[in-house]
Amino acid sequence: MATIDRQTATLALAHALAAAGRGLPVFPLSATKLPALRSPHHGEQPPVHCRGECGLPGHGVHDATTDPAAVRALFAAAPRATGYGIACGRAPHRLIGIDLDIDTAYGNDSVGALQQLALQHLFTIPPTVTVLTPSGGRHLWLTGPADTPVPNSAGRLAPASTSAAAAATWSAPARSPPTAATAWPPAPPPSPRPPAPAPCSASSPHRDAPRAHSPAKRPRAAGVRA
């Protein structure tokens, strides 16, 4: 069992480093998709509201980094990590994750509901990074606007949907390498470059890092080739 755990942690680290190399701030997660590092302030009274100012790891999404040495140090401190999280809303991609679930038992189809919403409000769901989930749902990866805060939400875009944006954690796929259906955003260029203009709001297979906006603003998707 220990061997499997080490292999899983090694794979998670490898994928986390790949994501960090593409400009996505990452940190280790446990099998329950919670931060793999315990807070250094656990049990302190009165409770300490620290977001990493103390300089110690264990602050969840606030630990997220793109620095390879720092990523390795976080995973070394969390040997039982089985995956990694991405801090949403940070430059350069300003990631917004939309989780669309399908629950046939309760008649929830958030994928279809989002498509219907697009038809009603006349906006386009552009091709983007999309991860298919075991339940039949999907995770859409979008790039948020640089000048407009995007809040987190639950059930707002569609029933059984959630969106992760400002200071939220997005659980990334760490158990399988990228494929044609699950590709990564490319490494960022040496100098800042704005994403290519295109209509947007939600998306498709793990192939681009796009932009999320309100339908009225006609958001943009940053095209990426796998």
Side-chain angles (χ1 to χ4, degrees):
M1 185 65 180
T3 300
I4 295 175
D5 287 344
R6 281 198 298 271
Q7 290 174 345
T8 301
T10 299
L11 185 60
L13 171 59
H15 285 292
L17 287 169
R22 289 163 173 78
L24 297 167
V26 299
F27 65 103
L29 293 181
S30 67
T32 58
K33 297 184 180 179
L34 293 174
L37 285 170
R38 189 175 189 175
S39 169
H41 310 295
H42 179 77
E44 290 186 11
Q45 293 296 333
V48 176
H49 301 288
C50 178
R51 296 186 174 184
E53 295 87 354
C54 67
L56 297 173
H59 298 84
V61 68
H62 303 291
D63 288 341
T65 178
T66 58
D67 178 70
V71 172
R72 289 189 177 91
L74 287 172
F75 275 81
R80 297 187 69 82
T82 59
Y84 67 98
I86 297 172
C88 295
R90 294 193 198 173
H93 298 298
R94 300 181 300 282
L95 176 67
I96 294 175
I98 298 180
D99 183 0
L100 300 173
D101 289 331
I102 295 179
D103 187 345
T104 54
Y106 292 94
N108 289 328
D109 179 2
S110 55
V111 174
L114 182 60
Q115 292 171 342
Q116 185 62 35
L117 187 69
L119 288 174
Q120 290 175 352
H121 293 276
L122 302 177
F123 67 93
T124 302
I125 301 174
T128 187
V129 177
T130 300
V131 178
L132 304 181
T133 65
S135 66
R138 57 191 61 192
H139 291 170
L140 308 183
W141 295 41
L142 302 171
T143 296
D147 55 353
T148 305
V150 178
N152 304 315
S153 70
R156 188 173 180 182
L157 291 176
S161 73
T162 57
S163 63
T169 299
W170 191 242
S171 179
R175 288 183 174 81
S176 60
T179 65
T182 56
W184 286 106
S191 57
R193 182 178 63 188
C200 158
S201 182
S203 232
S204 133
H206 221 244
R207 243 193 317 203
D208 315 26
R211 281 203 141 208
H213 277 82
S214 64
K217 281 199 167 184
R218 289 284 179 180
R220 303 187 296 174
V224 172
R225 294 292 178 267

